Structures are given as structure tokens and as C-alpha cells.
Amino acid sequence: MSTLKIDLENYKELMRQYIETKDEQALYQAEQFSKYSMQQNISPEEIINVHIQSLEALYPEMPEYIQSSLDFLLETMISYGLAYQEYQSLREKQLELKSEISVAANMQKTLLATDKPQIDGLEVGAVSIPAKQMNGDYYHFVKDDNGALGVAVADVVGKGVPAALCMSMIKYSMDSFPENRMDPDVILGSLNRVVERNVDSSMFITMFYGLYNINNHTFRYSSAGHEPGYYYDSSQDKFEEIDASGLVLGVSSEATYEQCTKKVNVGDMIIMLTDGVTECRQGDRFIEEDEVLEIIQKYAHLPAQETVEQVYKHFERLQDFHLRDDFTLIILKRRV
């Protein structure tokens, strides 16, 4: 006797017992039958069919309208079963993709890790928080032969695994450049050619690159279509926008980048960020630029790392702890 036949006979007997006695033991055994059916990947319509066959065997004179209703139920469950199988297949693929993204996110953290430098007389604060698992923002610190500090802040127009791979390429390209050629306009020009040759035309990268000279406390900078930075004058308690002209990376291999210089006084700050900071939203309202600067100003008296962390916490609370975009904020603060 086949397994299905045994199950049919068992089901019919369980149904008969329950109809005649309302015994809860029969309900318990029916529950076990359901678990077994799931383990054997028996579809819902097969169980309904067993139910119909059992009823027909127990009540040969079953009214036609009941038979019709059961036929209707069977057809309904056939459609349900097909939809459920498709749902399960999609769910398995989603879980597999989620696992792969988690692995990729951990790889990204490893590949893009950068050490925050310790420099006498200069405080460095950095925070970069992804809105989702993968971070489309990137920052990197590089020192040259003379102890000058190079700082890159970038944002990929495009998210997910492709963005992470693109950022990895950018980082290792920067690390391969000669340390005596750290001029911001040269760095961006070289990176632009790398991106133009190696990155899909649908993906662009914005970047702000600055070089802080610890000997004369000047900050030279260039921008590839990136969000403007800010200079905070502590003596006047005012902000000044710092920006330079230049196309986003990867548009044209012939693009050139303007280089500007800013003298940094004691107590003043250089602020670099991505649009995830300036385009924070409170409900449906975008935060104004002045509001962002007010919050930075509020915490400007703190050490640079505490400043960036407090600013992030403020905007995290403002958005109900749900970031709409990756959030990256870098502050260089001259102490002496």
C-alpha cells in the first residue's frame, strides 16, 4: 500500500472520529498530519483533495451543492498553491541576496578602511554612516613625504555592490599615486582618467580632495562636482563656503580641476561632507543649509571627533533614526 493511500485512510479515519465524537485527540493527530505533509512538500490542494475523497467515502450521498463547494475550494487552493510556491522561491532568492550583500558590506568595510591620522596641532574628526548596508560614500586619509595630510571625500552616483567595487578601485588608485604628487588638482585629474576608462558610463563619482600642510597651515583643495565644503572662522564665529570648479569624475578624460588655497588660523575648522548631510529631511521638508551650519556651530567648541558625532546624532534623531542617504562628515580643526 502506498504512503499516499495510508495517509488517505488515516485522514478519513481521523475525520470520522472527530465528526462522531468531537474528540480533541483527533484534532491533535490532524495537526501531526499537517506537519508531516509540510515535511513531504505536499501541496495545499493535495490535502484538500484528500479531504474531499474522505468525505465522499464517508458520505456517498453527499448533497451536490456541498460537492460543488468543495470543487470550488479545490480550484482555489490550486491557485493558492502555485502562488505560494512562487512566493517561497522569491523569498529564498531574497534571503540569498541579503546574505551576499551582507558579505559584500563586510568586505567593503575591510577594503575601504582608513586610519584616522594623529597629527600634532591638528584635530581630525570623521564619521561615515551608510543609510543601508552598502555605503555609497567614501573618505580616505593619505600622508605625503612632507607630512601633509591629504583628505578625500567622495560620493558615488549609484549604490549597492557596484558602488562599493568602484570605491575600492578609487582607494587603491589613490594609494598607488606617488607621494610627491599630492596636489589636489593632479589627484583629481588622475582619478578622473581612471574612472573614465574603468567605470560604466552610467556611474559617476563626485569628490572633494584637500591637502592640509601642517608646516604653514594652508589647505589646498579641488572638487569634482562635489558638495561644497565650509571654512569656520572661530574669531568671527562665521562660516565661509569653499568650493572649486570641476566636472564629476568619469565624464570626460580631458576634464581639468581648479585648485584653491585657504589659510587656516588657530581654532578654525575645515568641514567636508556629502549631500547626505546637507539634504537631511525632517518629514517631507529638506533641512536648509543654515540649519546644518547652526548645528555644527553649536558643537564647534568640542574636539573635532566629538563634534562630528554630535552633529550626526542630532540629524539621526531629527530623521527618526532612519537615514534617507549615506551620511559622511569630516572636520579638520587647527589647535596650535
Side-chain angles (χ1 to χ4, degrees), residues 229-232 239 242 269-273 296 329-331:
Y230 297 94
Y231 180 84
Y232 175 67
F239 289 90
I242 54 175
M269 298 189 302
I270 298 292
I271 298 146
M272 292 162 282
L273 38 73
I296 296 175
L329 178 63
I330 309 293
I331 288 180

Side-chain angles (χ1 to χ4, degrees), residues 166-195:
C166 186
M167 284 303 189
S168 300
M169 180 190 68
I170 290 292
K171 177 189 175 181
Y172 287 100
S173 294
M174 290 181 64
D175 287 341
S176 68
F177 294 154
E179 292 186 349
N180 60 353
R181 296 297 306 277
M182 295 282 287
D183 297 302
D185 58 337
V186 175
I187 290 291
L188 291 187
S190 299
L191 287 176
N192 176 64
R193 290 187 289 275
V194 171
V195 173

Side-chain angles (χ1 to χ4, degrees), residues 227-272:
E227 196 77 10
Y230 297 94
Y231 180 84
Y232 175 67
D233 187 330
S234 58
S235 64
Q236 299 187 49
D237 198 23
K238 290 183 179 180
F239 289 90
E240 171 192 341
E241 187 176 280
I242 54 175
D243 197 11
S245 62
L247 284 173
V248 297
L249 302 178
V251 173
S252 169
S253 61
E254 303 301 320
T256 58
Y257 296 90
E258 178 186 13
Q259 180 171 283
C260 303
T261 303
K262 183 69 180 177
K263 176 68 176 178
V264 183
N265 297 315
V266 176
D268 292 359
M269 298 189 302
I270 298 292
I271 298 146
M272 292 162 282

